[in-house]
Amino acid sequence: MVGEKKISSGFIYFFGAFAGILFGYDIGVMTGALPFLENDWNLQNRAGTIGWITSSVMFGAIFGGALAGQLSDRLGRRKMILISALIFVVGSILSGIAPHNGQLYLIVVRVFLGLAVGAASALVPAYMSEMAPARLRGRLSGINQTMIVSGMLLSYIVDYLLKDLPETTAWRLMLGLAAVPALILYIGMLRLPESPRFLIMNNKLDEARKVLSYIRSKKEEIDSEIRQIQETAREEIKANQKASYGTLFSNKYRYLVLAGVGVAAFQQFQGANAIFYYIPLIVQKATGHAASSALMWPIIQGVILVVGSLVFLLIADKFNRRTLLTVGGTIMGLSFILPAILNLLIPHASPMMIVAFLSVYVALYSFTWAPLTWVIVGEIFPLVIRGRSSGLASSFNWIGSFLVGLLFPIMTASMSQEAVFAIFGVICILGVLFIRTCVPETRGRTLEEIEKIGENRLLEGKSA
């Protein structure tokens, strides 16, 4: 159209991943708010209530991911991200104005907020992978992880800056300020186009071509990608007009679905969010100092996460996905298991030893399992089931996150922190075994080539 203003690819990729800021802020903000909320509402000896308030967002996210996956196949990725941003705004404001001692109110509101968090975790990887060319998919999808950890670091800094306010004012502002980046996301997404793959699936070829012209440099590249998407779409729509959750576990798709969902589940059951949600309380238990005076530790962890995410952007498409996940998972597991062993051998070792090992864990997690989980979720699922599969993977990821957030304070009330983290360390090692035996390599392959891997696996099974 004459006079139409072209949208830059940088703008598209930036705001396509900006939902990660909200995702990260809401993951991180309770870390600093919890010590003040604990004192304000006298929750020090109520581990179950603390666990529910912390994990209620993740409980909502379980359903948000599944719902967004289904609705995005009908309404589009862009529209669902816009709806999620509005839920973020409302949920953040309602959290900040919770009535005094309104534990149930805050839990319910944070479940509502979790719907948007879960939706963002499912939609952003799918949107970014469908916009990115195969050679850059890992790096561009990794921007989502940089946004997530930047949001976490932002929340830690906000928590630290507000720590000298009266307790009841501090935690309310910490939670309520999430509305600000949500508004920014909504405004930015208004200018973003829909995913070209979604447009082609809905017979909007001209619109898809226009979107691809923003993000592909050559006409031949655009034509080739459109033909490839159309060919795959025709074959799969003919074979299965209406994909259902049963379709996900049919022989044709089961291998790739289990691989993607398994990676997403292991990422959370490995225990990373126990650190991110509770690091001030972990330091308090290790040192005996008040958790509200330990708010510099979340910032340190946040800086490690951001630096790690930037390292990932440099190496994302230079190393195989499986190699990075194997190395990262092994060192992460050892970082959790070694403190328990050393505590048995050296009973009077420094109580801060566990915090040092946790920092090693965070460093490796930051450029391996943290970003690569969402890269794999974004690229491993076949087109016709991508929305539902991404939603299912997101839901399993949030089930793990919810259980870790809920059970960690209960577990540490009944056993040592070293023993709890050793359990997570064993899960890290099991995750590595899963990667080596059940997950195919996806680096540098088009989404259509990855789908062929699942089909070939089916043929191998039939011929065995």
Side-chain angles (χ1 to χ4, degrees), residues 40 76 96 110 115 165 174 201 259 271 303 309 359 395 416 420 458:
D40 190 28
R110 284 175 59 76
L115 295 174
L165 292 175
M174 291 171 184
M201 286 288 287
V303 170
S309 74
S359 297
S395 293
S416 71
V420 174
L458 174 61

Side-chain angles (χ1 to χ4, degrees), residues 149-150 152-153 156 297-307 362:
V149 295
S150 296
M152 293 173 68
L153 179 57
Y156 298 151
W297 275 103
I299 295 178
I300 293 171
Q301 303 290 344
V303 170
I304 293 173
L305 284 169
V306 171
V307 172
V362 170

Side-chain angles (χ1 to χ4, degrees), residues 42 57 59 67 125 151 165 245 266 297 320-321 386 409 416 432 454:
N42 297 314
V57 164
F59 183 75
L67 285 171
L165 292 175
Y245 278 106
F266 266 111
W297 275 103
N320 285 344
R321 319 286 197 229
R386 183 165 301 129
S416 71
V432 170

Side-chain angles (χ1 to χ4, degrees), residues 373-440:
T373 293
W374 300 114
V375 173
I376 289 175
V377 165
E379 66 188 6
I380 200 170
F381 299 127
L383 177 60
V384 77
I385 59 166
R386 183 165 301 129
R388 281 186 171 84
S389 298
S390 296
L392 185 66
S394 174
S395 293
F396 269 85
N397 185 267
W398 285 110
I399 288 170
S401 182
F402 165 68
L403 291 175
V404 168
L406 176 65
L407 297 177
F408 181 77
I410 298 172
M411 293 169 70
T412 54
S414 59
M415 66 179 83
S416 71
Q417 291 188 142
E418 289 83 1
V420 174
F421 283 117
I423 293 171
F424 290 136
V426 172
I427 296 173
C428 289
I429 302 303
L430 293 175
V432 170
L433 295 176
F434 179 79
I435 292 298
R436 302 312 302 176
T437 57
C438 301
V439 179

Side-chain angles (χ1 to χ4, degrees), residues 213-230:
S213 73
Y214 300 153
I215 53 180
R216 304 289 186 266
S217 57
K218 298 177 181 177
K219 183 178 183 299
E220 296 79 11
E221 187 180 5
I222 295 171
D223 293 339
S224 174
E225 186 162 348
I226 287 176
R227 284 195 301 271
Q228 193 173 38
I229 296 171
Q230 285 179 311

Side-chain angles (χ1 to χ4, degrees), residues 26 30 37 41 49-61 63-64 87-88 90-99 101-117 171 175 402:
D26 232 84
M30 189 54 77
L37 180 61
W41 288 2
T49 301
I50 292 170
W52 269 106
I53 290 175
T54 303
S55 63
S56 52
V57 164
M58 289 76 82
F59 183 75
F63 305 99
I87 295 175
F88 263 113
V90 175
S92 300
I93 294 172
L94 290 177
S95 296
I97 61 173
N101 284 329
Q103 290 98 325
L104 180 60
Y105 169 95
L106 189 56
I107 290 169
V108 171
V109 167
R110 284 175 59 76
V111 169
F112 173 72
L113 187 58
L115 295 174
V117 174
W171 70 261
L175 299 183
F402 165 68

Side-chain angles (χ1 to χ4, degrees), residues 86-356:
L86 290 178
I87 295 175
F88 263 113
V89 173
V90 175
S92 300
I93 294 172
L94 290 177
S95 296
I97 61 173
H100 186 66
N101 284 329
Q103 290 98 325
L104 180 60
Y105 169 95
L106 189 56
I107 290 169
V108 171
V109 167
R110 284 175 59 76
V111 169
F112 173 72
L113 187 58
L115 295 174
V117 174
S121 70
L123 295 169
V124 172
Y127 183 85
M128 292 297 285
S129 69
E130 292 177 0
M131 299 295 277
R135 67 182 184 280
L136 297 177
R137 197 186 307 122
R139 187 175 301 171
L140 290 172
S141 297
I143 292 175
N144 179 44
Q145 178 62 21
T146 301
M147 291 292 191
I148 292 172
V149 295
S150 296
M152 293 173 68
L153 179 57
L154 176 64
S155 73
Y156 298 151
I157 293 172
V158 168
D159 290 349
Y160 186 79
L161 293 175
L162 298 178
K163 68 182 176 65
D164 294 326
L165 292 175
E167 287 174 346
T168 189
T169 304
W171 70 261
R172 292 175 186 280
L173 274 177
M174 291 171 184
L175 299 183
L177 284 173
V180 176
L183 283 173
I184 296 173
L185 171 66
Y186 185 85
I187 293 169
M189 284 300 299
L190 288 174
R191 286 200 62 211
L192 258 59
E194 183 51 82
S195 153
R197 293 174 185 272
F198 173 82
L199 293 171
I200 290 172
M201 286 288 287
N202 286 272
N203 300 314
K204 298 180 180 179
L205 188 60
D206 291 339
E207 290 183 45
R209 187 180 298 277
K210 182 170 66 177
V211 173
L212 285 171
S213 73
Y214 300 153
I215 53 180
R216 304 289 186 266
S217 57
K218 298 177 181 177
K219 183 178 183 299
E220 296 79 11
E221 187 180 5
I222 295 171
D223 293 339
S224 174
E225 186 162 348
I226 287 176
R227 284 195 301 271
Q228 193 173 38
I229 296 171
Q230 285 179 311
E231 181 181 346
T232 303
R234 276 196 301 268
E235 291 176 0
E236 296 190 333
I237 291 175
K238 187 185 296 183
N240 197 334
Q241 289 291 331
K242 289 186 177 181
S244 65
Y245 278 106
T247 308
L248 270 57
F249 297 99
S250 64
N251 288 337
K252 183 176 182 180
Y253 300 122
R254 184 167 53 236
Y255 170 65
L256 293 177
V257 169
L258 290 177
V261 172
V263 170
F266 266 111
Q267 187 209 42
Q268 287 303 325
F269 282 108
Q270 290 168 340
N273 280 346
I275 303 172
F276 305 142
Y277 300 146
Y278 297 112
I279 186 64
L281 299 181
I282 293 170
V283 174
Q284 174 181 278
K285 191 163 185 177
T287 64
H289 298 140
S292 57
S293 67
L295 294 189
M296 184 56 71
W297 275 103
I299 295 178
I300 293 171
Q301 303 290 344
V303 170
I304 293 173
L305 284 169
V306 171
V307 172
S309 74
L310 296 176
V311 170
F312 175 74
L313 292 180
L314 296 175
I315 67 173
D317 296 301
K318 296 180 181 178
F319 296 93
N320 285 344
R321 319 286 197 229
R322 282 160 41 101
T323 301
L324 288 174
L325 289 172
T326 299
V327 172
T330 301
I331 299 177
M332 286 156 52
L334 292 175
S335 298
F336 275 165
I337 293 170
L338 286 176
I341 296 173
L342 291 174
N343 193 51
L344 291 174
L345 298 176
I346 314 172
H348 301 294
S350 169
M352 290 301 288
M353 172 187 66
I354 188 171
V355 180

